[in-house]
Amino acid sequence: MKKELSLSDLKQVYFLGIGGIGMSAIARWFLHNGFPVAGYDKTESPLTKKLAEEGMEIHYEDSIDLIPKACLEDVEHSLFIYTPAIPKDHVEMNHLVGKGIRLYKRSEILGWITQQIPTLAVAGTHGKTTTSSLLTHLLISAGKNVTAFLGGITVNYGTNFIPNQSKENIVCVVEADEYDRSFLTLHPQAAVVTSTDADHLDIYGDGDSVLESFQLFVNQIKADGFFIQKKGLTLHSEIGDATFGIDKGDFQAHNIRIEDHRMIFDMKYPGGEVKDIPMRIPGFHNIENALAAAALAMQVGVTGEEIKVGISTFLGVKRRFEYHVESDDHIMIDDYAHHPTEIAACLNSVRALYPGVKITAVFQPHLFSRTRDFIDDFAKSLAIADELYLLDIYPARELPMEGVTSDWLLSKIDLENKQVISKADLLNVIEDKKPALLVTMGAGDIDLLLNDLKLSLS
């Protein structure tokens, strides 16, 4: 953040890509602190509708005329923030750049905000949204004054942004995003890394570059701070390397058991143990996320018993192992899983919770490049299901790549009951078959089908 930008001089803020989950959290922070907020997004969504209801001025047409005049006429006192997902031919962005107006990435603004507040950062190619959301809930449950910038909508609070209640003793929780190396703007007091699997290879090129970026992030933790990583990761910090894991690490879960399709575990930590912690959110990966959140919460004075209460009352995050139907006849679970490791974690957890029940999975691949780069790993993970329906690849920011299709992925999967299917045909099939256990996965627009799928099971 450049020195000439001062919060005291700021009058209004404009966002390009305001409907993104991370961008909207920043937008809410500015609105909460009294600044008029406006923005563009490509399509209207439930989130952008909510932002508009909260008082933001949002439009969906890429037009210079729709940029607020106050921003263009008083550039010196305006802040322009953009997401890297905005395409290079975007009319509004090119107009602003052509006028010599400085545009800031969301990550730069987040770094600037968190420089002023003691910050707990959660990084990792998987698990960071659930971990940071659970950490936020642990702190609130324990009575801490929290502000949080999250990458998902928490069920407990119905938002991805938590405003601090006063200006004293604030603790900031940040989901530290590795995409585009955004997290390198942060200098947290304490941080966790949940995983360093290769991902975003369209940005990084290879797995070694991903790992290097995580190491640079760890190097930025403050000298008197705290760092913890999942047991087995290879990052190193001069301030020490605490670890967490199932039956291993400094913070560890053991005696895991399943009762009524829910998980319960005991947690050992340096200096103590907490027994019989019940999880409202299922999954072995979520037990690991809970350990990571607990370790950071303890750094700001949350006790073991307070952590037990917090974990037991955490309802999860939208689209993270989220139940949409839970009856005697049908179970429907939706998950944001879009990487092979995440898919395997989701399906293996479902298998453990519902042994002997046929798993019908629906997956929408996200990005042509990710599908190409991890094609064999996707095939292996998706084969955990008993029956599979593949939607077409969701392109997001990419153009199609020759030969990279859902049919190609399907051909790699060692599964008898499998097919590529359109969204319309999928709804008809689910309504006809009414599977006992349906799991939907993906990071594209598959969530727009959830209500119709839910009705199909009724």
Side-chain angles (χ1 to χ4, degrees), residues 105-118:
K105 288 184 180 180
R106 165 192 170 270
S107 57
E108 293 179 277
I109 301 303
L110 187 58
W112 172 65
I113 292 171
T114 57
Q115 280 177 7
Q116 307 165 59
I117 308 169

Side-chain angles (χ1 to χ4, degrees), residues 256-264 284 349 352-353:
I256 299 172
R257 57 268 193 206
I258 296 174
E259 298 177 6
D260 297 325
H261 308 302
R262 291 292 184 266
M263 291 180 165
I264 302 172
F284 296 106
S349 293
L353 291 170

Side-chain angles (χ1 to χ4, degrees), residues 318-448:
K318 291 288 186 182
R319 303 222 57 225
R320 269 68 175 186
F321 215 104
E322 181 182 11
Y323 281 87
H324 284 263
V325 177
E326 191 174 10
S327 69
D328 292 337
D329 297 322
H330 298 286
I331 299 293
M332 176 179 163
I333 297 168
D334 176 56
D335 197 90
Y336 193 67
H338 56 283
H339 183 281
T341 302
E342 297 166 343
I343 292 168
C346 176
L347 293 178
N348 282 327
S349 293
V350 172
R351 183 76 71 195
L353 291 170
Y354 300 96
V357 181
K358 176 183 176 182
I359 299 175
T360 298
V362 181
F363 178 58
Q364 181 188 45
H366 185 262
L367 295 179
F368 296 101
S369 61
R370 183 182 282 120
T371 304
R372 176 200 63 200
D373 294 338
F374 303 109
I375 185 76
D376 291 330
D377 292 331
F378 273 119
K380 184 178 179 181
S381 295
L382 289 166
I384 297 171
D386 298 300
E387 182 178 43
L388 176 67
Y389 296 96
L390 280 183
L391 298 176
D392 286 334
I393 297 172
Y394 185 80
R397 56 188 177 271
E398 293 183 338
L399 295 174
M401 296 180 178
E402 186 175 354
V404 181
T405 64
S406 288
D407 286 302
W408 179 42
L409 173 57
L410 190 80
S411 71
K412 295 268 191 176
I413 300 170
D414 184 15
L415 201 61
E416 183 177 346
N417 297 317
K418 60 180 181 178
Q419 71 177 91
V420 174
I421 195 168
S422 70
K423 293 175 181 176
D425 287 343
L426 173 67
L427 294 174
N428 292 331
V429 167
I430 297 303
E431 185 170 7
D432 179 53
K433 291 190 173 183
K434 296 189 185 299
L437 179 51
L438 178 65
V439 181
T440 56
M441 300 175 291
D445 61 1
I446 190 172
D447 59 312
L448 299 179

